[in-house]
Amino acid sequence: MLEEFALTAEDRAAGVTFDGWVRLGARNQSAPIRLVRVQTEESELLLVTGEPRAELGAELVALIYGYRWRIELSFKWLKCLLGCRHWLAESPRGVALQVYGALIAALLLLRSTGRRPGKRAMEMIRFYLVGTAALEELTRLLGIEKKRG
């Protein structure tokens, strides 16, 4: 630890337990970085940034990382629904269509099953659409009843 900053009431309210400049490694030869330690309900987070104390308060660093994590989880869920590791289109319009398609499918599944759709549900739908899974398998996995005609 090189320098520890005093925590404000706002910092403490945001769960910040430490804010200061540190060097990483046993020999302390690395460049100094700012470390913000935040206590959450589940665990303790160690947030690292190069921002000096005057630029952003520790409470803002914690808030920014919290929002960033929510965005990361949203993209992870979306990629899970899409079932691919990359975009099928490169244009903004093509990406938008892919996202809209995934969201519409997720909403339809949510409405049909009452559960948030996951990777396996979307996978089974793709298997059904290409003909490698039967309708009975699909309805059993999704937990929905076939309509009797």
Side-chain angles (χ1 to χ4, degrees):
M1 179 175 59
L2 300 174
E3 180 182 0
E4 184 173 356
F5 304 124
L7 298 177
T8 65
E10 291 86 9
D11 295 340
R12 292 187 198 287
V16 176
T17 59
F18 174 82
D19 182 19
W21 284 105
V22 298
R23 285 188 194 269
L24 299 179
R27 297 187 183 148
N28 290 327
Q29 294 178 350
S30 65
I33 58 171
R34 182 175 174 199
L35 176 70
V36 177
R37 189 179 304 136
V38 179
Q39 185 65 48
T40 68
E41 293 175 8
E42 298 89 29
S43 64
E44 182 178 67
L45 302 174
L46 300 176
L47 310 176
V48 176
T49 181
E51 295 292 322
R53 174 79 176 165
E55 296 282 325
L56 291 175
E59 128 218 28
L60 286 176
V61 171
L63 183 68
I64 289 168
Y65 271 83
Y67 285 136
R68 178 181 177 183
W69 187 246
R70 287 183 190 148
I71 292 168
E72 293 287 342
L73 289 177
S74 297
F75 272 100
K76 180 182 176 187
W77 179 75
L78 186 61
K79 285 170 74 174
C80 233
L81 280 181
L82 294 172
C84 61
R85 295 183 180 174
H86 56 83
W87 298 108
L88 298 176
E90 293 181 11
S91 70
R93 186 177 180 160
V95 170
L97 287 173
Q98 191 174 356
V99 169
Y100 287 141
L103 292 176
I104 290 168
L107 289 172
L108 288 172
L109 273 174
L110 178 66
R111 184 176 166 96
S112 299
T113 65
R115 297 184 320 233
R116 186 174 129 183
K119 183 177 186 174
R120 296 294 167 237
M122 296 301 281
E123 215 171 48
M124 184 56 88
I125 290 171
R126 281 193 296 278
F127 289 153
Y128 172 72
L129 291 173
V130 297
T132 58
L135 182 59
E136 291 78 27
E137 293 174 294
L138 176 64
T139 56
R140 187 175 58 246
L141 178 103
L142 296 177
I144 54 178
E145 295 289 322
K146 282 195 309 186
K147 295 195 180 194
R148 308 216 184 250

